[in-house]
Amino acid sequence: MQSRKFQALLAAAAVFGATFVAAAPAQAATQACGSTPAALTAAARAEGVVRLVAVPDTWANYGALRRAFTAKYGVRTSVLEPDASSARELELFAELKGKPGRPDVYDLGMAYLPIAVSQGVLARFTPATWSTIPKQLRDSDRRWIGNYFGLVGLGTNVTLQPKQPTLWAQLIDPSYRGQVFINGDPRQSSTALASVAAASLASGGSLDDITPGVDYFAKLKAAGNLAGSPVTRAQVVAGRIPVGINWNFTWPLLQPEAKANGYEVRSSIPTDGLLAGFYGQGVSTDAEHPCAARLWVTWLSSDQGQRLLLGSGAVPARYADLKLSASQKSRLPSASLLARAVTPSSAQLASMLDTVRRLWGPRVAD
């Protein structure tokens, strides 16, 4: 699969009427959950709770998604390690296997979805809206679906740093000394890996070779500008992140809380390195609450769930299949930015991980 303009993801969505489909081939857990939406809901209510992992409330509007899910279905939600990286999620699967309190659903960055499949983490399941999800955003073996995507962006606390950057090249400026934070370690975090890839595009590199992106962060560190990681809600709203690198959909819901603490946070999407990435959700093969897990994945891909993603500026996977108002569309990155952004193929993502695992330590972290 070649790198492609992310506009293709919007155009690729099918427009067929959604019907409930049982998982194929049928699994014991799926059979126990019933073969209709009503049966699935009843089975999930009997379980009472679904345990999630790595989804803070301000990430892609998950707080609103959780509240609305409980209000609609009467099933509680809980979140284990909200700020965990994708790599950490896979560690938790191994550490907690068979133990009470383990995650029922995984929310993984695009680089880690094939790894999760290869490790047997994700069960087959076909939610009701399967046919309307773009093919690039769903696993052909039905182990996961992508529900939202976004562009790598910057958040600037202009109370601390009034010079808001809009280009990757600007972050090298001495005025940002000790002020630039990346959201995680690219050897473990899908967000950080995407940030290195975007910086590579801005530095003459490509999705086939992100070495220039590693070198870019090495320059930031040498200049004293790279301050550390990660970029969490607590750090942002407390005014400890002058400039943070994160997905565009992480900033809008942090702005009101930061403002209440006396800080103004503004977001931008660097136009010299436009990279789009998605996150996929899948039911754990070791789910303690398998029916509630399937209902949660179904909810995320429903019309109501997809529209709630807009509250954060995340682009719903089923964007092309939804009827949205002009106001709702205004929360998203502009059509021109989406049209210019590129997303890596699975092969490119695997190569990127190999590159950062080899070079990030000696060139940046050590």
Side-chain angles (χ1 to χ4, degrees):
M1 187 187 305
Q2 299 295 317
S3 299
R4 57 200 176 275
K5 297 225 173 168
F6 219 69
Q7 184 75 12
L9 288 178
L10 304 181
V15 291
F16 306 116
T19 56
F20 185 88
V21 184
Q27 298 174 320
T30 300
Q31 291 173 340
C33 298
S35 59
T36 66
L40 176 61
T41 299
R45 283 176 175 162
E47 291 175 346
V49 65
V50 60
R51 293 196 180 98
L52 313 175
V53 61
V55 285
D57 283 357
T58 53
W59 177 280
N61 210 17
Y62 264 103
L65 280 160
R66 290 173 58 205
R67 290 189 294 272
F69 174 79
T70 298
K72 183 178 179 72
Y73 297 112
V75 179
R76 295 179 292 108
T77 67
S78 64
V79 180
L80 180 68
E81 295 194 23
D83 295 314
S85 67
S86 292
R88 175 58 180 158
E89 290 187 67
L90 300 186
E91 290 176 354
L92 285 170
F93 177 82
E95 291 176 9
L96 300 178
K97 192 167 185 178
K99 298 178 181 179
R102 60 192 181 272
D104 297 310
V105 179
Y106 288 90
D107 188 281
L108 296 158
M110 56 186 178
Y112 286 85
L113 289 165
I115 298 174
V117 171
S118 70
Q119 293 180 357
V121 173
L122 305 177
R124 287 191 181 94
F125 176 61
T126 308
T129 52
W130 173 266
S131 65
T132 65
I133 299 170
K135 290 182 179 180
Q136 299 95 328
L137 294 180
R138 65 189 192 198
D139 177 44
S140 60
D141 199 32
R142 304 184 184 233
R143 303 281 181 173
W144 56 263
I145 57 171
N147 271 317
Y148 58 94
F149 60 90
L151 305 183
V152 177
L154 304 175
T156 304
N157 186 325
V158 294
T159 306
L160 305 175
Q161 171 52 270
K163 190 176 180 181
Q164 182 185 8
T166 57
L167 299 171
W168 290 97
Q170 293 171 342
L171 293 180
I172 302 292
D173 190 283
S175 62
Y176 299 108
R177 184 173 179 81
Q179 295 189 347
V180 181
F181 289 74
I182 185 173
N183 191 25
D185 185 320
R187 295 169 293 186
Q188 299 180 322
S189 162
S190 193
T191 303
L193 179 66
S195 301
V196 176
S200 178
L201 296 175
S203 305
S206 68
L207 298 183
D208 293 313
D209 181 12
I210 63 167
T211 303
V214 176
D215 291 339
Y216 169 87
F217 279 96
K219 291 177 183 176
L220 277 186
K221 182 178 180 181
N225 293 10
L226 186 61
S229 67
V231 180
T232 65
R233 168 200 155 274
Q235 289 180 307
V236 172
V237 302
R240 293 194 288 267
I241 304 285
V243 181
I245 305 171
N246 210 344
W247 297 106
N248 71 287
F249 55 73
T250 62
W251 302 111
L253 298 180
L254 297 178
Q255 290 168 332
E257 194 172 352
K259 185 175 181 179
N261 290 336
Y263 301 106
E264 181 181 357
V265 175
R266 298 178 185 173
S267 62
S268 61
I269 297 174
T271 55
D272 53 346
L274 288 166
L275 185 131
F278 65 89
Y279 281 74
Q281 297 71 41
V283 175
S284 172
T285 53
D286 189 42
E288 190 174 0
H289 309 97
C291 301
R294 284 162 172 76
L295 185 62
W296 173 259
V297 173
T298 297
W299 159 249
L300 289 179
S301 62
S302 70
D303 285 3
Q304 187 178 356
Q306 290 278 284
R307 287 194 177 94
L308 281 171
L309 292 165
L310 294 165
S312 68
V315 185
R318 296 178 51 236
Y319 174 87
D321 192 50
L322 299 174
K323 293 181 180 179
L324 301 177
S325 66
S327 174
Q328 289 173 320
K329 291 179 180 179
S330 70
R331 300 173 189 171
L332 303 176
S334 70
S336 63
L337 290 181
L338 289 172
R340 291 167 53 198
V342 295
T343 187
S345 68
S346 296
Q348 288 169 330
L349 287 165
S351 176
M352 289 177 185
L353 272 174
D354 178 68
T355 297
V356 297
R357 285 169 177 168
R358 287 187 296 104
L359 302 179
W360 190 259
R363 297 194 185 184
V364 182
D366 297 344

